[in-house]
């Protein structure tokens, strides 16, 4: 990996100066049990049950999993299967909201006196990576030997165009971030905490530097505005110089990376006992009437949030969960806000019209721009040839699906989409190969 490789995308941070506005509960909320990497949560309520803000709806389905809580008060209408934006089916709890937003009477701050108490509390909070990854935070913090933690990086890069929800966290929730840093220092024993922020966020840099003056051991790394600066492996390398290789995690090089909103949410839970039940979401795009940052209950349908922002000023040609580089296109506006949703973007027909695709001219732009120096065209070719050995040799699994290759391709080829398919098939092949080897059936 070479320092600063990536692309300079338009920032379009038009909502950075807008404090988030809180919306009320919608008529219905939808809670898929798959809102994180790992095993889905297991529903623990039934139709007709009364629920409140903070009531447990789904228990963690394994070690790499996360509980899910209601962001509204009301009654469980039914539990059914819905198709999520990624095409997968998920058991989903549907709640008919009463509009009262009554907190669950059992809510109280957790008792935290040790590292294990702290991690257990984070696990019970339902908090996952809130920058979009959705990896259960308690799993990330479950380090067997905390003495191996050399550095904790707080990710405030927020490098995707349009999205400013993390920006608002660093401006509006300084006390929560400060409290979160003190918790990390106390229970993970790490004094070296670095907040990574792109230079296009001067207000955030100023606020975090002032915070660091009051937190010995904490510092700010002001980073070039180059996408994908916020990618975990890219961020770790550009701040520490350490390379996270294929199949490795940041902790393998002595680093833990936490999103700034994730950290603020941990501090809030430890202080209040209210689990993760709402999100700050950037609502923007050429089809949106009033761009805003909105605090909404998790489970709120996208349509309700767009209506809260004045609806559409033109017919949307594409609606995205997340940013324009790594976001997922929505097929149904009834799809809900999830834990890891940080933006809802709607673009008009002109801005969402796909560019015509032409033949690859072998210019090498995709390889030159890739943060990891991968060869996207070769990966696509190996996939088309069903050559799994070649895909493994080409390190296809290192691809972080940032979309830089597609962004710079003069032929407008869907390289990142094809790389996603290649990775999926490669991982299936690797699992099957491993199973055969374990059974001694490899010829």
């Amino acid at each position: 990996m070479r320092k600063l490789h990536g692309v300079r995308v338009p920032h379009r941070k038009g909502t950075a100066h807008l404090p988030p506005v809180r919306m009320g509960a919608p008529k219905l909320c939808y809670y898929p049990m798959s809102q994180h990497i790992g095993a889905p949560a297991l529903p623990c309520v039934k139709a007709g049950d009364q629920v409140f803000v903070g009531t447990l709806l789904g228990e963690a389905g394994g070690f790499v999993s996360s509980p899910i809580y209601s962001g509204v008060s009301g009654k469980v209408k039914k539990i059914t299967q819905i198709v999520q934006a990624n095409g997968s089916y998920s058991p989903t709890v549907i709640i008919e909201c009463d509009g009262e937003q009554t907190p669950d009477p059992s809510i109280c701050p957790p008792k935290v006196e040790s590292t294990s108490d702290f991690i257990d509390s984070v696990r019970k909070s339902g908090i996952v990576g809130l920058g979009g990854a959705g990896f259960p935070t308690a799993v990330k913090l479950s380090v067997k030997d905390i003495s191996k933690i050399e550095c904790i990086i707080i990710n405030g890069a927020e490098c995707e165009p349009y999205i400013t929800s993390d920006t608002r966290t660093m401006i509006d929730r300084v006390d929560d971030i400060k409290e979160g840093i003190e918790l990390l220092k106390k229970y993970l024993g790490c004094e070296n905490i670095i907040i990574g922020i792109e230079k296009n966020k001067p207000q955030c840099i100023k606020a975090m530097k002032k915070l660091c003056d009051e937190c010995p051991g904490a510092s700010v790394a002001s980073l070039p505005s180059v996408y994908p600066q916020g990618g975990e492996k890219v961020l770790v390398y550009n701040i520490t110089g350490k390379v996270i290789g294929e199949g490795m995690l940041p902790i393998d090089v002595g680093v833990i990376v936490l999103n700034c909103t994730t950290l603020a949410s941990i501090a809030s839970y430890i202080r209040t006992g209210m689990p993760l039940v709402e999100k700050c979401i950037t609502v923007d795009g050429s089809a949106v009437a009033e761009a805003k940052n909105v605090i909404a209950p998790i489970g709120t349908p996208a349509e309700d949030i767009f209506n809260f922002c004045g609806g559409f000023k033109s017919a949307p040609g594409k609606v995205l969960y997340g940013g324009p580089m790594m976001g997922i296109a929505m097929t149904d506006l009834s799809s809900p806000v999830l834990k890891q949703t940080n933006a809802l973007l709607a673009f008009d027909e002109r801005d969402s019209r796909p560019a015509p695709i032409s033949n690859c001219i072998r210019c090498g732009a995709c390889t030159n721009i890739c943060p990891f120096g991968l060869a996207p065209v070769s990966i696509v070719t190996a996939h088309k040839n069903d050559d799994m050995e070649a895909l493994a040799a080409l390190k296809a699994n290192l691809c972080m699906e940032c979309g830089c290759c597609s962004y710079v391709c003069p032929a407008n080829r869907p390289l990142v989409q094809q790389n996603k398919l290649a990775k999926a098939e490669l991982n299936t092949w690797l699992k099957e190969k491993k199973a055969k080897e374990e059974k001694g059936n490899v010829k």
Side-chain angles (χ1 to χ4, degrees):
M1 181 170 65
R2 294 153 290 180
K3 196 171 185 178
L4 302 186
H5 265 231
V7 293
R8 296 191 180 274
V9 295
H11 295 142
R12 296 177 181 167
K13 305 284 189 176
T15 57
H17 67 290
L18 298 176
V21 182
R22 188 179 299 276
M23 68 175 286
K27 291 182 179 179
L28 293 174
C29 269
Y30 299 79
Y31 292 90
M33 294 292 103
S34 293
Q35 297 191 37
H36 48 264
I37 291 173
L42 304 174
C44 58
V45 292
K46 61 184 184 302
D49 283 357
Q50 175 73 47
V51 299
F52 305 96
V53 178
T55 297
L56 182 68
L57 302 179
E59 299 173 323
F63 178 68
V64 183
S65 187
S66 180
I68 293 172
Y69 297 88
S70 176
V72 295
S73 56
K75 286 190 176 181
V76 177
K77 185 177 182 180
K78 63 179 177 178
I79 300 175
T80 187
Q81 294 269 348
I82 69 167
V83 181
Q84 296 188 276
N86 63 5
S88 65
Y89 284 85
S90 175
T92 300
V93 177
I94 302 177
I95 296 176
E96 196 164 19
C97 311
D98 59 19
E100 298 296 324
Q101 291 300 84
T102 307
D104 192 300
S106 67
I107 297 295
C108 63
K111 186 177 181 180
V112 181
E113 297 178 340
S114 64
T115 299
S116 60
D117 287 344
F118 174 62
I119 294 173
D120 189 52
S121 294
V122 174
R123 182 175 292 107
K124 290 177 180 177
S125 73
I127 295 170
V128 300
L130 300 181
F135 189 81
T137 303
V139 178
K140 184 177 286 190
L141 299 179
S142 297
V143 181
K144 291 182 180 179
D145 183 359
I146 61 173
S147 67
K148 292 184 178 180
I149 304 173
E150 300 174 11
C151 170
I152 298 176
I153 295 176
I154 308 305
N155 190 347
E158 197 168 46
C159 55
E160 279 248 28
Y162 293 97
I163 307 175
T164 63
S165 51
D166 283 345
T167 293
R168 293 313 311 183
T169 292
M170 290 183 281
I171 295 171
D172 303 326
R173 302 180 67 184
V174 175
D175 289 344
D176 279 341
I177 294 177
K178 180 181 177 182
E179 198 173 324
I181 289 174
E182 295 299 339
L183 288 167
L184 296 177
K185 291 166 65 176
K186 182 176 182 179
Y187 294 112
L188 295 184
C190 180
E191 293 290 331
N192 184 18
I193 298 182
I194 304 171
I195 307 172
I197 310 173
E198 282 195 309
K199 291 180 180 178
N200 67 337
K201 304 173 185 65
Q203 193 175 357
C204 296
I205 292 173
K206 181 180 179 180
M208 291 298 101
K209 281 187 174 180
K210 184 178 179 181
L211 177 156
C212 291
D213 289 340
E214 302 171 5
C215 291
S219 62
V220 171
S222 182
L223 304 166
S225 301
V226 180
Y227 177 84
Q229 187 67 263
E232 198 169 65
K233 293 182 179 181
V234 176
L235 190 67
V236 169
Y237 181 83
N238 286 345
I239 289 178
T240 70
K242 296 182 178 182
V243 175
I244 302 171
E246 185 179 15
M248 294 173 63
L249 298 172
I251 191 59
D252 294 325
V253 296
V255 180
I256 288 177
V257 181
L258 291 175
N259 168 267
C260 62
T261 302
T262 300
L263 181 62
S265 299
I266 290 172
S268 178
Y269 175 73
I270 298 296
R271 185 178 67 254
T272 68
M274 180 60 73
L276 181 64
V277 295
E278 63 183 19
K279 279 299 300 289
C280 177
I281 306 145
T282 298
V283 184
D284 205 345
S286 55
V288 175
E290 302 169 22
K292 295 179 181 180
N293 284 305
V294 178
I295 297 176
I298 292 171
T300 302
E303 184 174 19
D304 290 81
I305 294 176
F306 284 120
N307 288 338
F308 181 72
C309 295
F312 299 117
K313 61 185 178 183
S314 58
K318 182 174 287 187
V319 179
L320 297 177
Y321 271 123
M325 298 297 288
M326 294 186 72
I328 298 176
M330 300 176 68
T331 58
D332 188 343
L333 289 180
S334 68
S335 296
V337 166
L338 307 175
K339 290 182 181 184
Q340 64 270 45
T341 304
N342 51 14
L344 290 173
L345 305 181
F347 299 99
D348 60 26
E349 292 287 349
R350 185 187 66 178
D351 287 345
S352 57
R353 189 180 305 127
I357 298 172
S358 57
N359 293 330
C360 175
I361 60 173
R362 303 291 174 181
C363 64
C366 56
T367 296
N368 290 335
I369 211 71
C370 177
F372 305 129
L374 302 179
V377 171
S378 298
I379 291 173
V380 169
T381 300
H383 177 234
K384 286 183 177 179
N385 293 334
D386 199 28
D387 190 343
M388 298 297 120
E389 296 280 1
L391 281 178
L394 288 164
K395 304 291 184 182
N397 270 329
L398 267 177
C399 172
M400 61 178 286
E401 301 172 13
C402 65
C404 287
C405 52
S406 294
Y407 185 81
V408 301
C409 178
N412 302 310
R413 303 190 69 77
L415 297 171
V416 66
Q417 291 88 345
Q418 292 172 318
N419 281 4
K420 285 184 179 183
L421 292 173
K423 285 173 62 180
E425 293 188 24
L426 172 61
N427 286 325
T428 298
W429 178 79
L430 289 172
K431 288 179 182 178
E432 291 174 351
K433 181 182 178 183
K434 182 179 179 180
K436 289 179 180 178
E437 289 173 346
E438 289 175 350
K439 291 181 180 179
N441 292 330
V442 177
K443 295 181 180 180

